[in-house]
Amino acid sequence: MPRKLYIAGNWKMNTSLAEGQALAEGLVRRLGEVDDVDLAVAPPFVYLCAVRQALGNGRIALGAQDMFYEDNGAYTGEVSAPMLKDVGCRFVILGHSERRHVIGETDELINRKALRALADGLEVILCVGELLEQRHAGQTLEVVSRQVSVGLEGIARDEVPRVTIAYEPVWAIGTGVTATPAQAQEVHAMIRGLLAGMFDAGLAETMRIQYGGSVKPGNAAELLGLPDVDGALVGGASLKADDFAAIVEAGRKGS
Ligand code: PEP
């Protein structure tokens, strides 16, 4: 069975309350009827409730950009999976490169978060990707393999359908530089092979692997048309409803 495209917007630390609401309403107007692509947005924590309301009960899923690995307790500043579910989140993004490289999150920490998110009933988008110097040193496959295998360690087979991998080369995030189709396809195919080894080939064939890194309306068709690219995690271009909608349309035409 072909994998359904999955396109998610990561708003990062952007928008005001009013802008976030307007953006969500704009997405509902443009994409509210789309049912052949799974769509999602991840606004900042503080706007989750407001964006939930603006999205209504439609097809655009709500998610968070991170969470902690405990459900409650003395963890000042943290937010838990039950809290995210409580405000209507379906998924959480974990291991984004900005959390790895700005905040210093490790694969082991990300794995603890992933296990908890899945145990608490959330879906997970696990981000992986190499730094430019790692690519230049020929370490891309090694780095990404470790991020995937440690990030998903201990995950049960029946939880796998709630996991999406986002391959996001760090050098392509927010830079305007995109991986070439050959570079993206090579790493996506490697990740699928790794997943086949971790689980089995049949399950790996069903798993969705998004590409992320300067995806724009102008390059989306080419990237989303690749055999092992099953969607996109979009940062900058997800902040404009027109651009996000154009990326979704490009994906629908190409798939
Ligand atoms: C991201 O933040 O996941 C991302 C891919 O950002 P951008 O699209 O801006 O490169």
Side-chain angles (χ1 to χ4, degrees):
M1 214 172 76
R3 295 176 293 270
K4 190 174 181 183
L5 275 187
Y6 181 11
I7 302 182
N10 172 16
W11 295 1
K12 310 193 188 191
M13 198 173 69
N14 290 301
T15 81
S16 64
L17 173 60
E19 287 164 354
Q21 287 171 312
L23 177 53
E25 285 162 6
L27 293 175
V28 171
R29 268 197 306 279
R30 289 164 180 80
L31 299 167
E33 303 303 313
V34 170
D35 63 0
D36 53 352
V37 179
D38 285 334
L39 300 173
V41 292
F45 287 132
V46 289
Y47 302 142
L48 284 169
C49 288
V51 171
R52 166 78 282 152
Q53 270 204 314
L55 291 175
N57 290 321
R59 299 182 183 278
I60 305 176
L62 183 73
Q65 300 170 18
D66 185 37
M67 55 161 264
F68 193 56
Y69 57 72
E70 296 290 355
D71 282 350
N72 48 57
Y75 303 104
T76 303
E78 295 295 338
V79 172
S80 72
M83 291 173 182
L84 296 181
K85 290 194 71 182
D86 202 18
V87 297
C89 286
R90 204 165 80 195
F91 73 97
V92 62
I93 298 171
L94 295 175
H96 190 278
S97 76
E98 287 143 19
R99 296 213 61 86
R100 291 177 187 271
H101 300 295
V102 181
I103 314 287
E105 292 197 3
T106 62
D107 288 320
E108 289 73 16
L109 175 65
I110 294 158
N111 176 247
R112 287 185 78 173
K113 294 182 179 193
L115 290 171
R116 175 61 68 179
L118 292 165
D120 285 342
L122 287 169
E123 298 172 10
V124 167
I125 296 178
L126 173 69
C127 301
V128 299
E130 80 287 359
L131 296 162
L132 189 58
E133 53 266 36
Q134 292 169 329
R135 174 163 282 272
H136 286 157
Q139 295 167 346
T140 298
L141 302 188
E142 181 191 324
V143 169
V144 172
S145 293
R146 178 180 153 81
Q147 291 171 335
V148 173
S149 54
V150 179
L152 297 184
E153 204 172 313
I155 282 167
R157 279 183 62 91
D158 64 352
E159 293 173 327
V160 168
R162 284 187 286 124
V163 176
T164 297
I165 306 288
Y167 169 58
E168 304 201 297
V170 180
W171 45 271
I173 297 181
T175 58
V177 179
T178 318
T180 64
Q183 287 170 328
Q185 173 56 29
E186 182 194 25
V187 181
H188 280 238
M190 182 278 296
I191 293 173
R192 201 174 304 286
L194 185 68
L195 295 170
M198 290 175 70
F199 304 106
D200 65 58
L203 204 48
E205 276 305 307
T206 66
M207 288 181 73
R208 292 185 290 193
I209 307 172
Q210 296 171 325
Y211 170 80
S214 300
V215 175
K216 309 271 180 246
N219 60 25
E222 192 175 36
L223 290 160
L224 292 170
L226 295 168
D228 284 291
V229 174
D230 310 312
L233 183 55
V234 185
S238 72
L239 295 171
K240 288 194 183 131
D242 282 342
D243 284 357
F244 192 72
I247 289 169
V248 173
E249 281 314 314
R252 294 175 83 189
K253 284 197 192 108
S255 64

